Every structure is written in C-alpha cells, then in structure tokens.
Amino acid sequence: MSQLRDQAATATRRFTSLREAAGPRATLLCFSHLRWDFVFQRPQHLLSRAARTMRVIFWEEPIGTDRPAPHLSLRSSAEGVLVAQPCLPAGLDPAAATAAQRTLLDGMLRELAVTDPVLWYYTPQALAFSGHLRGRPTVYDCMDELSAFVGADPMLPVRERELMARADLVFTGGYSLYEAKRHQHGDAHPFPSGVDTAHFAPARGSLADPADQAAIPHPRLGFYGVIDERLDQDLLAAVADLRPDLHFVLVGPVVKVDPARLPRRPNLHYLGAKSYTELPAYVANWDAALMPFAINAATRFISPTKTPEYLAAGRPVVSTPIADVVRQYGKMRAVSIAATPAAFAEAVDAALRLARTPAAWRPEADAVLADMSWDRTWSRMAAFINEKRGIVARTQETLMASRATRPTQTAASRTRPHYDYLIVGAGFAGSVLAERLAAGSGKRVLIIDRRPHIGGNAYDAPDAAGVLIHPYGPHIFHTNSKAILDYLSRFTEWRPYEHRVLARVNDQLLPIPINRITVNKFFGVDLSQSEVEDFLASKAEPIETIRTSADVVLSKVGRELYETFFRGYTRKQWGLDPSELDKSVTARVPTRTNDDDRYFNDTFQQMPLHGYTRMFERMLDHPNITVELGVDYADVQSEVSFDQLVFTGPIDEFFGHRYGKLPYRSLRFQHETHDQAVFQPVAVVNYPQETVPYTRITEFKYLTGQEHGQTSICYEFPSAEGDPYYPVPRPENAALFQKYQALADATPDVHFVGRLATYKYYNMDQVVGQALATYQRILAQPAPARARAEQVATAAE
Ligand code: FAD
Ligand code: UDP
C-alpha cells in the first residue's frame, strides 16, 4: 500500500503546475464511464461549459499500463477540463484496482488542494473508490439506463440506489428516464439533451464534402453516433434493400458489436468515428438524417442528442419510435417516426421531399431549438448546484459562528432536534435497538449508517435482472430461540427454507456438513448409520484438549475428511491454518452420521418472505426514529445532541485504534447474472480446494424462492483488505479485544452492540438476542429524571 501511495504521490507531483492554472475556483469532480475523447456528447457539452467558471476534473475509468505500479495521467483538454486517467498494471484483481483508484484519487485531491468539490457522477460504479468523499453537492447526472446495456454489471442497480441515496440532486438525460427515476429521489429534474446550435448552423450552408464521403452518390441519408446494440441493423439492411437507389452513410465508432457482422450493402457506407468538429461538414452534405434505433431495453430511456443537432444542421429526421423522440419532436413536420422497414423507407422518401422545401419547416424547428441550448441547460443545472452550495455554506457558516460562541451547542444540533439516543449502524444490532427504544420506550432516536442503505450486511436488493440478491453475501436465517423469532415476526412474514450445501470434491458434489452420504460417497463404501459412527470413530484422532479448529474436526472425522473438507477452505477463508484458529470456528459446522443434509440444526429455519431490507424498513418505520444514511459517526458526533450512544461499528475504530487494530477478515463478492433459470443444484456449493481462489458460490433464488427466467450468483473471494466482516477468533485477538472492552466498560453512556462492537463471530439471531438483552439492561438503568416517569409508563404497557 505504501508503495502505491508513493506512486500516487510521484504521479500527482508531475502535475503540480496545473494547480496554478486551476486557480482558487470551486472544483467539479466528475466520474465517468465514457472517455472525454470518445464522442462529444452530454458530459462534454455540460462540463466544458462548467469549466468556464469552475475547475473541472474528469475522472475516467482505468486503462492498462505496462508499468509495475499504478499511476495517474492528467492532462488538460482543449475545453479546459482536466482529464484524469488512472493507469493500472494489467491483472490487478478488482479489489486491488479499487484500492489503487482510491489512492490515486486521494493523492490527486491532496495535490490539487481540492476542498468541497461538487461531485458529479455519470456512473454509480465509481462509488466503489469515491464513496468516502462528500460532495457539496453530490450530483447524479443520469444520462442513460446503463443497467439495460449489453455487458452491464448486475450490481449496477444496487450501486445506483446507493448513489441515489447519496446524491443531493439527480438530473436525468430525458423525460422517460425522469419518470423512471423520480420516485427514487426527492430532488430529481429532467434535463433532456440540449444542442449547440451555433456549432451545427454552418451545415445549413455549404461546407466542403469530407474526402471519405465525397465519392458517395446522392441522395444521402446519414446517421452519426455510436454504433452498438442500440442501432437496428436489420432495419437498416431492410431499408437499404428497399431503396437501392439511396445511399446510407454511418459515421461513428463501432462498439460492442462485431464490425464484421454489420450489414454490408453497396449503398451502406461506414465511415468510422469523427470528431465533434468534423460532424457539421458530414451532415451538410447529407440530404436527410436518420435515427434507425432498435426498440429494445437499451433504448427505452434514451433521449438522443443528435435529434436537435440534425435539426440545427437543417436536416429533416426520420426516427424509429424512441419514446423521448416521439414525445419531444413527434409532432414536428421535420421529424417523422416509422417503426417498420416499409414505413421507414416511405418516411425517408418524404424526408427527401421536405429537404427541398426547408422554408416550410425550419422556422418551426428553430422555435423548438431556441429553448434547448446547452448553455441554457447548463445554467439551469448550475442554478440548482449553487442553491445547494448556498444551503450548505449557510449551514456551515452558522455552525462556525455558533461554535465560536457556544462550544457545546452547534448550529447543526439546533437544526436537528435533541435525541435521546444516537445509534451508529443500521444493521441488526442498531435497528433492533432503535425499534425497541422508540416503540418500547418512547425514546427519540437518530440512527445513522455510513452506508447508503439500512440492514447492514443483511441488506438485500434486486439486481439489474430483477433478481433479489444479498450484495454482502448469502444470509440465511436460523435460530433456536422462539423469543427472537417472535420478535422479528412483528416485522416480517416468513417462507420456510432449509439450507443445503454441497462441497465440490474430486468432481463430486458431496453434502456438507459431513453425513452418512458424504462418508459413503467419499470413501466409496455403503455403510449404515451405526457403521458410519464406528467408521468415523476409527478415523478420529484422539485429542485430549480440543482448543483449535483443527482439533474439532480431526477429533471427530479424522485426517482425510479434515484435509479434504476443512483445511483448504479454512486456510482460504481465514488466511490461517485451522490449527491457528479458535475451536469455535469449525465447531459451527456439525458432523452427522445420518442422512440429514441440512446445513443447520436449528429448530427454526426460515427466510423473511419479502427480504431483509423490507423487514428492516418496517422495523425502523416509527415516528420517533430518524434514519440518516451515508453518514459517518465521525462526521456528526459533535453536531448531534443526544443523551446516550449505541455504537455497532468496530470497537477499535471507536477508540481510535488506541491499542492497535483488531484483525478482521474480509471478502470480495463477485456477482453475476446468468441467462438460465438454474445455475447449480443447491443454494451454496463450497469449493474446499486451495487451488480454487473462491470459497463458495451462492445462487440466491434458492434462498428467496423467487421465480425468474435468469439467475444471479455470487462468488466469495476471501481477502485481508476490505470491509470488516469477520472478527478473527484467536487468543491474542481476544486479549486485545479485552483491552478495548475495558475502555468500553469505562464509557457508561455508550452501549457497544453487534458483531463489530463486541468482536464476536455472531449470527444474525445472536445479534438480535444481544440487542434485545442490551435493551433490557438499558431499561434497568437508573433513568435521567426527566425521562423516568415516561419510561416507567411505557415499560408497564
Ligand atoms: P452489521 O450488519 O455489520 O452492521 C453494522 C453497520 O454499522 C454497518 O452497516 C456499518 O456500515 C455501520 N457502521 C460501522 N461503523 C460506522 C460508523 N463509524 N458510522 C456509521 N455507520 C457505521 N448470519 C446469519 O445468521 N446467517 C447467515 O447466513 C450469515 N451469513 C453471513 C455471510 C457473510 C458473508 C457475512 C459477512 C456475515 C454473515 N452472517 C450471517 C452474519 C451477519 O451478517 C451478522 O451477524 C449481522 O449482520 C451483524 O449485524 P450487526 O448489526 O452487528 O453488524
Ligand atoms: N468450513 C470449512 N469447510 C466447509 C465449510 C466450513 O472448512 O465446507 C469451516 C471454515 O473455517 C468456515 C467455518 O467452517 O469459516 C464456519 O463455516 P460457516 O459456514 O459457519 O461460515 P460462515 O460463512 O457462515 O461464517
């Protein structure tokens, strides 16, 4: 890491001189999935205008480099935008690539002395490495339904929801997109594509025909834009066949579709990508313009920038029925809409006739264009941003002023009411306590989470395909406690679900936990239950005191089964040999001699019928509970006025890692959607071999019972770096935790609850139990005088 940091530092030092050029202006930092130099479209139009008054940094997706270490390439574009390109060595795994981008980003922000930037997202994926930044404001300029594009990451909708939760403002690239997204954000505004009329106006006069177009005969019908799955190739071919006397010119890069498979005809001409500057000369020498878009998921929400550009260039347009084109331009004389090849060909004929009488339709087109300039679009967007910056600035100014005069009561604490409890973390621990304190004791509760959603690691959400997934890995509910089940049943109905797992061993899929079938298949025998008992007893190694995770398994099933099913898996999962881990880890997995192949022994095994997130929503739906997401405790601890704190984050973090860091094991999840109904025979298949880098694959539909033509799965790659998921049960870690526990005991107004705050490898039900027990302890506390009467009254209910 430090090497990386050094690298980032050297990389950023190279562009120190740009700081002077940038001056003291506010910074807009844009995260984009499109490259600045690709085609000149919405991001380029808006941000080059932003660059007239602000410093604009355009952060692109990484490119590969031969150099051994990540570095940043930064240059100034002709429009005055700083284009930042992270260059990463090939073969970096996704977690390392994310970490490298974050390091490079932080290095650049430090080096360029960026404070309070406007964060401007085109891609929610960038949250992975920029989620720690706070925008003033954060803007999501949603220009497409990216999840509908070919090859989209199935996690995109999940990340988009995170971005929606974080964003202060959402702009959409068209009206259909606005209608699809506005329910997800309270401050969303449609901004269909604008047009730079002055850029295209020369095309209404005569401009020299570019060399590669000059030889193409007239009449010419032209299209410019990215040639990908959005273009209806069949329609294009059919129209070209129906009108062999007309010539169809296609200008633009071919992306994601195989160029060799594009329809080829003598009257179809592919000229490749051209710069934005060159476009008017091409259009000037067409007779009419086309938008032969396919009507599919990828085009459902598009609002093509080229419609007004073609009109500004004085060309009639023929388009397929793209919703936003029909809506915005469908009634204009200059624009005809046609869906079938025959209708399209006829519309092309009509457009060619219109081209001969421009005076008949251009005034109408110009009237529409007059209100659509990119200048106007940007200035309206800027007004929204300035308003947000104003609001934030006002709050901070008041905050500063109030800090100076009244150090204990801040402006923010006055804008927020006083709370009885501040709860940090909206997972099981925090949410159960919020619910109990609010509904059970009438307390006013503020619950915050640094993540943009509730539910902690148990959060679930539909992915791009609409399959309900667990973004943080499979969560299966099981408990022996009727009380815990009854408590949660207040917030959810259930579906019965018994979890079954198979382990892939030597091309066989064998039940895990080890049972009679596992033994018989693994050893190629056919033993009865009692024979298996004797067989395992003969294999078991005598171990006097069971202390480690190796002891647990060796003493029950012997070395062969231990090495095959447990040793490799555990080494991968924990980065430690089972002999280095407390016995409690592998003791989680039972050994059986009968045919029971369920993963858990618990009395109650069931899943929340509508998912965990819905259950959490119902838990937190109380007038006394305020939920703030995307908020870190460190950011608000001095701003919120409260009596007591419930902390469910890592205990070592709470105490500033005073005694050093408590070790946590993390995971990287790789989510995939497959175009098939079923991927594997059970919900989870374990891969115990050390040669396979992941530990297990989960297929979520088994857990949720969802019926869907596609299926979503998740690989788990254990990792030393990343979010803290697993406390590591080892004696020295327990000793270190005890030191933090002593600090916690000496901090009476803070309640430490949950997996991270108590450093316990707890399941969900255990965390619920721990939170309910904490609530009982809080009830037993001597209450502050002003709350006591109220508490006694509600506790008696
Ligand atoms: P979390 O769910 O981790 O919630 C803590 C929250 O606090 C987080 O959302 C975090 O963002 C927030 N937070 C932390 N610090 C701060 C801060 N400074 N400011 C603001 N917010 C903060 N259990 C089962 O019963 N069955 C299973 O099948 C199962 N499978 C699992 C699979 C995986 C891969 C993992 C990692 C765990 C699994 N668990 C399972 C365990 C389960 O996830 C936990 O028991 C449970 O989520 C713990 O709840 P919690 O509230 O203690 O912690
Ligand atoms: N384990 C293993 N092989 C398996 C399943 C589990 O070695 O096929 C070990 C491994 O060390 C794992 C522990 O048993 O961490 C507990 O497994 P469990 O499924 O309870 O882990 P979870 O993923 O639920 O934390």
Side-chain angles (χ1 to χ4, degrees), residues 44-87:
Q44 289 79 355
H45 282 294
L46 292 172
L47 299 180
S48 50
R49 280 163 181 80
R52 292 174 192 163
T53 52
M54 306 173 83
R55 169 168 63 176
V56 175
I57 306 174
F58 189 82
W59 185 276
E60 295 189 348
E61 288 185 338
I63 54 166
T65 173
D66 294 340
R67 287 171 42 185
H71 58 277
L72 194 71
S73 140
L74 196 71
R75 64 181 175 84
S76 188
S77 80
E79 299 80 13
V81 167
L82 298 183
V83 181
Q85 257 181 354
C87 309

Side-chain angles (χ1 to χ4, degrees), residues 259-280:
R261 301 181 71 171
L262 289 173
R264 300 282 162 182
R265 303 285 188 282
N267 61 339
L268 281 180
H269 309 273
Y270 300 94
L271 303 187
K274 307 292 166 199
S275 72
Y276 180 62
T277 325
E278 293 171 284
L279 294 179

Side-chain angles (χ1 to χ4, degrees), residues 512 565-566 569-570 573-574 585-586 588-589 599 686 696 726 761:
I512 178 90
F565 288 89
F566 285 88
Y569 189 104
T570 304
Q573 171 73 6
W574 296 93
V585 174
T586 49
R588 288 166 61 90
V589 184
Y599 199 71
N686 284 359
R696 59 184 179 186
Y726 292 92
Y761 185 7

Side-chain angles (χ1 to χ4, degrees), residues 70 98 104 111-112 159 164 254 276 345 354 389 432 439 451 457 474 477 500 537-538 542 612 721 724 783 787:
T98 301
L104 292 172
E111 191 68 30
L112 296 182
R159 300 242 166 77
M164 287 283 184
V254 180
Y276 180 62
L354 269 187
R389 278 180 89 78
V432 168
R451 289 171 173 167
N457 287 337
F477 185 78
R500 289 186 166 75
S538 73
Y612 290 99
E721 304 230 320

Side-chain angles (χ1 to χ4, degrees), residues 498-669:
E498 290 185 329
H499 191 48
R500 289 186 166 75
V501 179
L502 294 172
R504 176 158 292 281
V505 166
N506 308 330
D507 290 336
Q508 282 189 301
L509 285 174
L510 303 179
I512 178 90
I514 290 167
N515 67 5
R516 192 182 73 93
I517 302 155
T518 320
V519 172
N520 280 337
K521 284 197 175 167
F522 181 71
F523 291 101
V525 290
D526 185 16
L527 306 177
S528 67
Q529 181 171 349
S530 63
E531 286 167 337
V532 167
E533 276 166 30
D534 295 342
F535 181 80
L536 289 182
S538 73
K539 296 270 179 193
E541 292 187 6
I543 296 171
E544 211 164 282
T545 316
I546 311 282
R547 265 182 289 108
T548 74
S549 269
D551 299 343
V552 173
V553 186
L554 285 168
S555 65
K556 280 199 199 133
V557 298
R559 188 152 296 271
E560 285 150 295
L561 290 168
Y562 161 73
E563 287 183 356
T564 308
F565 288 89
F566 285 88
R567 194 176 63 185
Y569 189 104
T570 304
R571 283 180 179 171
K572 289 195 289 188
Q573 171 73 6
W574 296 93
L576 293 168
D577 191 81
S579 60
E580 298 171 287
L581 271 172
D582 185 79
K583 62 181 177 198
S584 58
V585 174
T586 49
R588 288 166 61 90
V589 184
T591 305
R592 304 193 182 106
T593 49
N594 59 14
D595 289 0
D596 184 356
D597 63 348
R598 296 170 313 156
Y599 199 71
F600 305 112
N601 286 332
D602 301 57
T603 317
F604 307 102
Q605 305 189 24
Q606 49 210 49
M607 293 288 285
L609 185 62
H610 305 292
Y612 290 99
T613 304
R614 184 76 198 99
M615 180 177 83
F616 280 99
E617 282 168 359
R618 287 170 64 177
M619 216 181 254
L620 296 174
D621 182 14
H622 189 280
N624 278 11
I625 301 179
T626 304
V627 183
E628 288 189 18
L629 299 173
V631 173
D632 200 297
Y633 174 56
D635 295 338
V636 295
Q637 55 176 317
S638 59
E639 292 178 5
V640 180
S641 158
F642 59 90
D643 291 337
Q644 295 200 27
L645 181 69
V646 173
F647 190 81
T648 77
I651 189 170
D652 52 337
E653 183 186 305
F654 183 86
F655 291 110
H657 302 112
R658 195 177 303 179
Y659 303 124
K661 283 195 166 182
L662 279 165
Y664 289 96
R665 193 70 175 156
S666 191
L667 292 170
R668 175 172 70 78
F669 302 103

Side-chain angles (χ1 to χ4, degrees), residues 264-316:
R264 300 282 162 182
R265 303 285 188 282
N267 61 339
L268 281 180
H269 309 273
Y270 300 94
L271 303 187
K274 307 292 166 199
S275 72
Y276 180 62
T277 325
E278 293 171 284
L279 294 179
Y282 282 89
V283 187
N285 294 286
W286 299 343
D287 299 289
L290 301 182
M291 294 202 293
F293 283 119
I295 304 300
N296 61 23
T299 59
R300 199 168 137 213
F301 298 111
I302 61 172
S303 172
T305 315
K306 53 185 112 330
T307 327
E309 289 176 351
Y310 288 157
L311 293 172
R315 296 292 168 274

